[in-house]
Amino acid sequence: MLIIAKEPAANGSYPPLQPWAGQTPPEGYYQIKDGLDTSVFQEHSGFVILTVIRGIVTAMDPNTAALEAWQAAASAAALPARKLERIAESKQQLADYLLCHPMQWTDGQRYAITAEKQQQLTSKIMSATLAAQTSTPYSLTWNATGQECQSWTLENLTALAFAIDARVTGLVSYQQAQEVAMRDAPTLEALEAIPVDYDSVPLPGGETA
């Protein structure tokens, strides 16, 4: 025979059904009527309402209200951690996007826009600017993705740096907006529905992705 605990857990669900080899169920358990369809028990995670006649369960009906309350509580408990996960994912996706999407400049070449490359570019421009101010000879070079370094004028390399900054700023602003939306999401469903699509971020004028 199958048996079921007489009392549900604190959250309203019954423990799993158990096989029992005895002639009568143990104390604290009901016998389940032979042949009773118990699929509703599995489908509703043990949240059921029992009909009991003389110690035998003759029917099981879904306890929808208790199930929905439990699901809502579980969702609310998981929400803060999932928010942190999605925010971290969006930041990693941004780093990956910057790495895989160098920016095409007006010379037809593509230039890396990662944080590391931006720092290197800023350092180059600062060195060239200081050299110009102090009349110090300085060879200003920069390279397109996969290419050797070429000579640049300070004016042209500065223009490239501003264009890269505009592109990255747009992408970072998008990530920040999605992060705010994630932090404000009231439910897991709303959180998971927030898109992270960096291809959707408009490009600054004059460049192509």
Side-chain angles (χ1 to χ4, degrees):
M1 73 172 70
L2 281 178
I3 58 175
I4 184 172
K6 290 183 177 181
E7 298 296 330
N11 63 6
S13 69
Y14 284 88
L17 307 182
Q18 301 289 337
W20 182 252
Q23 296 297 314
T24 58
E27 184 177 355
Y29 285 82
Y30 291 128
Q31 177 182 345
I32 296 176
K33 179 182 176 181
D34 291 343
L36 180 66
D37 183 3
T38 60
S39 60
V40 66
F41 187 93
Q42 284 74 31
E43 292 168 359
H44 291 79
S45 302
F47 288 89
V48 293
I49 298 172
L50 306 179
T51 299
V52 182
I53 300 176
R54 293 189 293 276
I56 298 177
V57 176
T58 59
M60 288 184 183
D61 295 300
N63 189 346
T64 304
L67 175 58
E68 291 177 350
W70 173 74
Q71 290 173 332
S75 177
L79 184 58
R82 182 55 183 151
K83 283 184 177 182
L84 294 178
E85 288 178 357
R86 283 227 61 199
I87 290 169
E89 289 168 1
S90 73
K91 292 179 178 179
Q92 184 58 54
Q93 289 168 346
L94 174 57
D96 294 341
Y97 189 89
L98 295 178
L99 178 64
C100 298
H101 291 78
M103 188 190 73
Q104 187 171 17
W105 183 230
T106 54
D107 60 3
Q109 299 293 327
R110 292 187 178 273
Y111 294 89
I113 61 175
T114 63
E116 180 183 5
K117 275 294 188 179
Q118 289 180 80
Q119 291 172 356
Q120 292 175 0
L121 182 55
T122 298
S123 178
K124 278 276 190 181
I125 291 173
M126 290 179 61
S127 296
T129 300
L130 182 60
Q133 292 173 347
T134 58
S135 300
T136 302
Y138 184 81
S139 178
L140 180 58
T141 62
W142 195 246
N143 67 294
T145 301
Q147 305 295 323
E148 295 181 357
C149 285
Q150 303 292 330
S151 295
W152 281 70
T153 65
L154 180 57
E155 179 182 5
N156 286 342
L157 195 60
T158 300
L160 174 64
F162 278 130
I164 290 175
D165 179 73
R167 175 56 175 158
V168 173
T169 296
L171 292 166
V172 170
S173 295
Y174 173 81
Q175 186 279 324
Q176 291 172 341
Q178 303 311 95
E179 179 175 335
V180 170
M182 291 173 190
R183 292 189 186 278
D184 292 342
T187 64
L188 277 175
E189 291 75 12
L191 175 63
E192 299 299 346
I194 296 170
V196 177
D197 179 11
Y198 292 108
D199 283 327
S200 69
V201 179
L203 291 161
E207 298 90 40
T208 58

